[in-house]
Amino acid sequence: MLQDQTILRIPGPSPIPPSVQRAMNQTMIGHRGKETSQMLKNIAPGLKQIFGTDQEVAIIAGSGTAGLETAVVNVVKPADEVLVVVTGAFGDRFTKICEAYNIKTHVLNVEWGKALDPEEVKAYVAGHPEVKVVFSTYCETSTGVLNPIDRLAKVIREVSEALVVVDGVSCVGGVETKMDEWGIDVMVTGSQKAFMLPAGLTFVAASERAWKVIEENEQPRFYLNLKKYRDNLLKDTTPFTPALSLLFGLEQVLNLIEAEGLEKVYARHELLKKMTRAAFKAINIPLLTTDEDASPTVTAVQPEDFEAEEFRKILKQEFAISIAGGQQHLTGKIFRIGHMGYCSPADMLQIISAVEVALKKIGKDIELGKATAAAQHIYLTEGENN
């Protein structure tokens, strides 16, 4: 194994395209100069298209969690009550953020590995009219579930005026997102997943409904004040020092997405999901989620007759391939393969072939080539347009 080689197939951070690496290596410029203002002006339309919104998309130097906290402190007023729909570890993060601000937090727990039921959320909100904000997760990274947020706001609005806030960190840019059309009030994502960048940027957009609340909100905030970001964006600048190298990279990422075409980006991620799932089904290794609930950006596998951590260790030792383990009560019980952002069918065929060898190495009785053939079949039958 090459000592300095690492093949990242965890659900973030994801690999970075060479052209994006080069863009980030550009000579530093003044963050209040004309060049930076022009770059922000260039970036804005692409971000809006990916979010599916006409609203400004704030670019904040910080991790995805900073974006989640930004959402909380801007739309939750003092004394408000909120509902967090928890489908995994990152849904639970919203709970922890709200509790850190002493917000009265209702929690609707969904079995890990299953998607939320919009009608169940609707019923809960109908029974708790004091709830002013509903927090949910689009892709639950810890389980590989894609929640049906395209239906969530619509059903909630039938019984409540509660705002709907969505964590899209591990999927926006890789799956269809129509924030305005779906009625999502706040959408958050991060740079290190489908955006093909290092960690360090979070993107936040708010609806007109949300802005009315934000403008009136007396909750103290300084660095995470969305009003400052919006007002500065309208002047093609930022309220605080931006992460310029990441902005260089972001501009190139948006160029790559535009060149491929956003719909083709989504189709590619869907294809990668189907190839990965078909591979494990072919060798009778269970998946944590159903096909209907599965995310196009990460696949969670739940082995029954071998140790997930031993398998991950062999894959890393033999092939320098890094995949993720489980979190919280799923630690040691599942492993997760990321296939988002800078990832192609060729990449997944490489990973699946290596997976088969690693399984053999730990004593799993499988027919070599069967999983790879299943993925190849999906590519040949469904990948013609990718």
Side-chain angles (χ1 to χ4, degrees):
M1 184 185 81
L2 296 174
Q3 293 301 311
D4 63 349
Q5 183 181 42
T6 297
I7 301 172
L8 274 183
R9 283 294 161 237
I10 58 177
S14 62
I16 299 169
S19 65
V20 175
Q21 291 271 20
R22 292 191 295 272
M24 291 190 295
N25 287 335
Q26 290 180 68
T27 302
M28 195 53 56
I29 59 176
H31 65 282
R32 297 300 178 211
K34 291 182 179 179
E35 299 96 332
T36 300
S37 291
Q38 186 59 53
M39 179 165 55
L40 289 168
K41 190 179 294 186
N42 294 343
I43 286 169
L47 280 181
K48 290 180 179 182
Q49 183 185 23
I50 290 170
F51 271 68
T53 186
D54 291 329
Q55 302 295 324
E56 299 299 324
V57 181
I59 305 171
I60 302 171
S63 69
T65 301
L68 304 185
E69 186 165 341
T70 298
V72 172
V73 298
N74 280 272
V75 302
V76 182
K77 296 180 179 180
D80 275 357
E81 296 185 26
V82 305
L83 169 65
V84 180
V85 184
V86 177
T87 55
F90 291 92
D92 190 46
R93 184 159 298 182
F94 261 138
T95 304
K96 292 174 180 176
I97 294 169
C98 290
E99 290 175 346
Y101 282 91
N102 296 314
I103 296 165
K104 185 170 181 180
T105 305
H106 302 255
V107 178
L108 179 59
N109 284 301
V110 177
E111 182 182 345
W112 286 33
K114 292 186 178 179
L116 65 82
D117 179 352
E119 292 297 328
E120 184 180 4
V121 179
K122 173 185 173 181
Y124 191 99
V125 173
H128 296 81
E130 65 277 14
V131 167
K132 301 299 182 184
V133 185
V134 177
F135 293 95
S136 182
T137 308
Y138 195 175
C139 170
E140 176 48 67
T141 322
S142 64
T143 62
V145 161
L146 193 74
N147 284 306
I149 65 155
D150 55 328
R151 307 201 310 272
L152 188 62
K154 180 181 178 181
V155 298
I156 289 174
R157 214 141 290 157
E158 292 172 3
V159 296
S160 171
E161 289 300 311
L163 297 178
V164 177
V165 176
V166 174
D167 165 5
V169 170
S170 62
C171 65
V172 171
V175 300
E176 183 177 62
T177 304
K178 295 183 177 181
M179 178 180 156
D180 290 355
E181 182 178 322
W182 296 343
I184 304 300
D185 293 298
V186 179
M187 177 67 77
V188 180
T189 194
S191 56
Q192 77 277 22
K193 309 275 186 172
F195 272 85
M196 303 182 284
L197 287 164
L201 293 180
T202 185
F203 311 109
V204 185
S207 69
E208 289 184 10
R209 294 175 76 243
W211 275 115
K212 290 178 182 178
V213 173
I214 294 167
E215 294 281 3
E216 299 170 358
N217 193 356
E218 296 177 358
Q219 171 67 48
R221 65 264 197 201
F222 182 75
Y223 184 74
L224 302 180
N225 188 336
L226 274 179
K227 289 190 292 183
K228 293 180 180 180
Y229 288 90
R230 179 200 58 188
D231 293 347
N232 278 271
L233 273 175
L234 293 174
K235 296 181 287 186
D236 301 317
T237 187
T238 57
F240 308 105
T241 304
L244 279 172
S245 294
L246 292 173
L247 292 183
F248 290 149
L250 175 60
E251 187 173 27
Q252 176 58 16
V253 164
L254 295 174
N255 290 338
L256 293 176
I257 290 173
E258 182 180 13
E260 183 176 359
L262 200 50
E263 293 305 317
K264 287 192 174 182
V265 171
Y266 298 154
R268 171 168 53 83
H269 282 80
E270 185 69 18
L271 176 63
L272 297 175
K273 175 190 80 172
K274 290 180 178 180
M275 290 173 65
T276 306
R277 293 180 68 82
F280 284 100
K281 288 178 182 180
I283 51 178
N284 299 312
I285 297 178
L287 298 162
L288 180 63
T289 66
T290 64
D291 289 347
E292 182 182 10
D293 291 349
S295 171
T297 58
V298 55
T299 295
V301 184
Q302 189 173 32
E304 294 179 337
D305 56 0
F306 64 91
E307 294 294 327
E309 293 307 298
E310 181 187 6
F311 167 72
R312 290 179 60 220
K313 182 179 179 181
I314 291 294
L315 203 58
K316 183 69 178 291
Q317 287 178 344
E318 296 283 335
F319 299 107
I321 295 172
S322 289
I323 62 173
Q327 294 179 299
Q328 296 185 20
H329 68 274
L330 291 180
T331 300
K333 296 180 180 178
I334 68 169
F335 57 86
R336 295 170 296 141
I337 299 176
H339 35 79
M340 68 181 80
Y342 188 53
C343 185
S344 70
D347 292 319
M348 290 318 300
L349 291 174
Q350 174 197 38
I351 299 302
I352 291 163
S353 178
V355 160
E356 291 182 298
V357 175
L359 288 170
K360 278 286 192 180
K361 286 268 188 176
I362 63 170
K364 175 69 175 170
D365 184 20
I366 64 164
E367 178 185 338
L368 284 176
K370 194 171 184 180
T372 303
Q376 290 170 332
H377 176 73
I378 293 293
Y379 178 76
L380 288 169
T381 56
E382 301 192 30
E384 295 178 357
N385 296 322
N386 288 273

